[in-house]
Amino acid sequence: MTDLWPQLCSLLPEAERPVRYIDHEFGAVHHDESLDDECSFVMLYPDTYELGQANQAVRILVNDVNQQDGMWAERAFLPSYDFGDIMRQHDLPLFSLESCAPIAEFDVFGITLPHELAATNALEALDLARIPLRTKDRAEDDPIVIAGGPCTYNPEPYAPFFDAMCIGEGEEWIVDVMRVVARDRRSGLSRACILRDLAGIDGTYVPSLYKELDDDAARSLGYRVASLDAVAPQVIKKRIYNGFATSDAWEPCIVPYCDLVHDRLNVEILRGCSRGCRFCQAGMTYRPVRERSADNIVQAVIKGLDQTGYDEVSLTSLSTTDHSQIEQILSRLNEHYHDSDVEVSIPSQRLDSFGAKMAELVAGAKRGGLTFAPEAGTQRLRDVINKNVTEDDLFGAIDAAFNAGWRRCKLYFMIGLPTETDDDIKGIARLAQQAYDHARAAVPDNQRGRVKISISCALFVPKSQTPFQWDGQIPPEEAQRRINLLRHSIKYRAVDVNWHDPKSSFVEAILSRGNRACADLVEHAFHLGARYDAWTEYFNEDAWRTAADDCRIDIQAAAQRAFNLDEVLPWQHITCGVTTPFLKAEYRRSRSGVTTPDCTFGDCVACGLCPDYGIDPQTQEVRHA
């Protein structure tokens, strides 16, 4: 492969943070150059090194490929906004980190799509790599460009840009893809043949083998997107990694030279969540719930901290305190590290499972900040979204935490949830102020000045594969009005209010529920200068609005209109295993304020996943794919 290091090295003095591009961190894996003829994979996180290096998907997939015979993998990240322009000026293509080789020389190029605002960054990566943006324009020797991540549960706004997309979990999928590409390229097969073979892999969507139908044809077929080839299934079922529970919780990881956004050891202890929050895509798409054992987790933490030198570990999952052995895990880790500065943390705590015992166990002797997510300010709205927590749960958790020595707490809420009223917004202020009162009452008089409660508000974005996928989003100006109402409703100066800028929210809403025509919008916005849209300082609203006008897309309708329950949705050909009848039933329950229990702790709620995948509800093991 071509070595771009001499050219990159000459440009590093112009880089804001050269450390982003120099490789050779502790733990980095470098392949034997004599094996260049083996099938190669490069995995890119569509943002800077500081955000992407901690991403678990990049780490897992690169490790998986590097453990296989006959293939190897490297990492890649986007350059900073300014350095990308410098690379273009000096004719330097996008490169991999380990070998500083051109992305375009790899056999397979993977991009994870972690959120909708990464769409133009994916195009920035392809453009910098000098790979045609659209599948139809690529040459035989261009890499096979693949995608995965949460956004693929509605793949249509990204479909023309990717040769193949992973629906579901990628641990085994990426190895299957690499084997097919390696075999077919050794056999001299055409790009078209390779894509047809990839379509036969479970959990694979090959967009070029499908077409979008008009309204009449969609109603007749029952799908908005139709298969054009017998090898391409009409419905693509998500891939489930059945080996998760017994797999080693220790994933070899890289220790960076610079600080990351999440600069700590991360150990995934649990996958999936069946709490059933109706706004939450991850809670629907990552089912079933699977746990790693306490022994596996404790050994992974000890080994990971020993090998990396980190002094903090985060036990990650969608709902860490739901792990059936979480108290045992925390007790054992606290005992092991009781004489050290190691901090054991969990990213977000469930209100209804955070009592006095948990407060004592989390972080051992250290007391940083806690995060809880009531999501809504009134019980009425919490029932609508199926949060299944009460004010008493919050106050009990606050009492336990501040009695145990905590002094700071962040509360997460959403603005713009379906059926939300001004009373619900004012309820956020009331709830936060009552939480502050409980916190102050729980600490000694001489420490009350240290008590801090903060509120963080995100704008609701309707997501595919959820009961709220039929709902629209409130306009940005209405979101700002509600934020202002909240700010003015807070009477305590000690309660801080933070919120996400709603200006970019319409882009998220359009892409979360859009059809294939939205790809034209993404590409045109990119050519007009849109990139790094998740960065407030770089978000180019004018580029998106001009692109929408040029593409004749009504932004307001695309983001804000509600779908009819009988409408054929753009992502109907993709299934996460949770059935459409169940999602419709949950939608109707939400309008009645009726909650649905968590099947982990009770009876089956008939979401459809277990019978479809042959999952034993007791063990959560998949009997057949």
Side-chain angles (χ1 to χ4, degrees), residues 351 372 374 390-399 411 413 431-432 435:
L351 290 172
F372 295 120
T390 66
E391 291 185 1
D392 287 343
D393 291 327
L394 172 61
F395 300 148
I398 293 288
D399 291 342
L411 304 178
F413 293 93
L431 196 61

Side-chain angles (χ1 to χ4, degrees), residues 170 211 305 415 421 451 563 608:
K211 72 172 182 179
L305 292 177
I415 297 287
T421 67
V451 170
F563 292 125

Side-chain angles (χ1 to χ4, degrees), residues 467-517:
F468 289 165
Q469 64 185 353
W470 290 279
D471 285 292
Q473 185 183 67
I474 63 173
E477 57 271 18
E478 173 61 15
Q480 191 61 59
R481 186 194 70 81
R482 297 188 192 187
I483 290 168
N484 291 337
L485 175 62
L486 172 61
R487 292 172 59 206
H488 294 141
S489 299
I490 295 287
K491 305 306 180 186
Y492 291 2
R493 295 181 62 184
V495 177
D496 294 325
V497 181
N498 305 287
W499 62 94
H500 296 181
D501 187 344
K503 288 183 179 179
S504 61
S505 60
F506 73 90
V507 176
E508 296 180 81
I510 291 169
L511 299 186
S512 70
R513 303 189 308 152
N515 59 16
R516 195 171 290 197

Side-chain angles (χ1 to χ4, degrees), residues 268-285:
E268 187 180 11
I269 72 168
L270 171 73
R271 187 171 292 182
C273 175
S274 54
R275 289 281 184 168
C277 297
R278 290 168 179 146
F279 60 84
C280 182
Q281 187 183 61
M284 300 296 162
T285 59

Side-chain angles (χ1 to χ4, degrees), residues 207-484:
S208 60
L209 300 181
Y210 296 78
K211 72 172 182 179
E212 195 167 50
L213 304 177
D214 60 29
D215 289 344
D216 290 340
R219 282 191 292 269
S220 175
L221 181 64
Y223 298 99
R224 177 71 55 182
V225 175
S227 170
L228 296 172
D229 193 306
V231 302
Q234 179 54 59
V235 177
I236 301 94
K237 294 175 58 176
K238 78 170 179 185
R239 187 81 174 252
I240 294 177
Y241 175 41
N242 190 37
F244 173 81
T246 55
S247 64
D248 194 342
W250 160 243
E251 277 277 350
C253 63
I254 290 165
V255 182
Y257 293 127
C258 63
D259 290 338
L260 306 180
V261 172
H262 300 290
D263 198 10
R264 63 182 73 94
L265 177 68
N266 293 299
V267 174
E268 187 180 11
I269 72 168
L270 171 73
R271 187 171 292 182
C273 175
S274 54
R275 289 281 184 168
C277 297
R278 290 168 179 146
F279 60 84
C280 182
Q281 187 183 61
M284 300 296 162
T285 59
Y286 281 99
R287 298 181 184 201
V289 175
R290 290 146 289 165
E291 292 185 352
R292 282 171 165 152
S293 70
D295 287 344
N296 187 356
I297 293 163
V298 171
Q299 291 166 11
V301 171
I302 294 172
K303 185 175 182 180
L305 292 177
D306 180 60
Q307 293 194 11
T308 63
Y310 277 117
D311 61 2
E312 181 181 357
V313 58
S314 180
L315 306 180
T316 66
S317 78
L318 293 175
S319 188
T320 297
T321 51
D322 281 345
H323 194 292
S324 63
Q325 297 177 296
I326 188 61
E327 290 191 6
Q328 180 192 149
I329 293 165
L330 290 171
S331 295
R332 289 171 62 179
L333 291 175
N334 287 337
E335 181 179 358
H336 187 85
Y337 292 110
H338 73 282
D339 287 330
S340 74
D341 291 328
V342 168
E343 179 178 348
V344 181
S345 62
I346 54 182
S348 182
Q349 293 78 35
R350 285 286 308 187
L351 290 172
D352 54 350
S353 56
F354 192 90
K357 179 67 172 177
M358 192 63 63
E360 290 290 341
L361 290 173
V362 174
K366 291 194 175 185
R367 295 293 184 268
L370 282 173
T371 56
F372 295 120
E375 306 292 1
T378 64
Q379 192 60 48
R380 182 201 71 81
L381 191 52
R382 284 191 293 275
D383 289 346
V384 167
I385 66 176
N386 204 50
K387 188 63 183 175
N388 280 325
V389 296
T390 66
E391 291 185 1
D392 287 343
D393 291 327
L394 172 61
F395 300 148
I398 293 288
D399 291 342
F402 283 79
N403 269 315
W406 301 86
R407 297 296 177 261
R408 293 185 289 113
C409 181
K410 180 182 290 187
L411 304 178
Y412 284 110
F413 293 93
M414 278 192 180
I415 297 287
L417 287 162
T419 79
E420 183 181 74
T421 67
D422 283 0
D423 286 341
D424 298 309
I425 299 296
K426 294 174 183 177
I428 296 175
R430 178 187 54 79
L431 196 61
Q433 290 170 174
Q434 288 180 304
Y436 178 75
D437 291 339
H438 274 264
R440 279 178 55 86
V443 304
D445 291 348
N446 64 350
Q447 294 189 30
R448 288 181 176 175
R450 296 172 54 197
V451 170
K452 300 292 182 184
I453 298 289
S454 63
I455 298 171
S456 181
C457 294
L459 183 62
F460 166 70
V461 177
K463 300 282 189 176
S464 63
Q465 315 288 341
T466 71
F468 289 165
Q469 64 185 353
W470 290 279
D471 285 292
Q473 185 183 67
I474 63 173
E477 57 271 18
E478 173 61 15
Q480 191 61 59
R481 186 194 70 81
R482 297 188 192 187
I483 290 168
N484 291 337

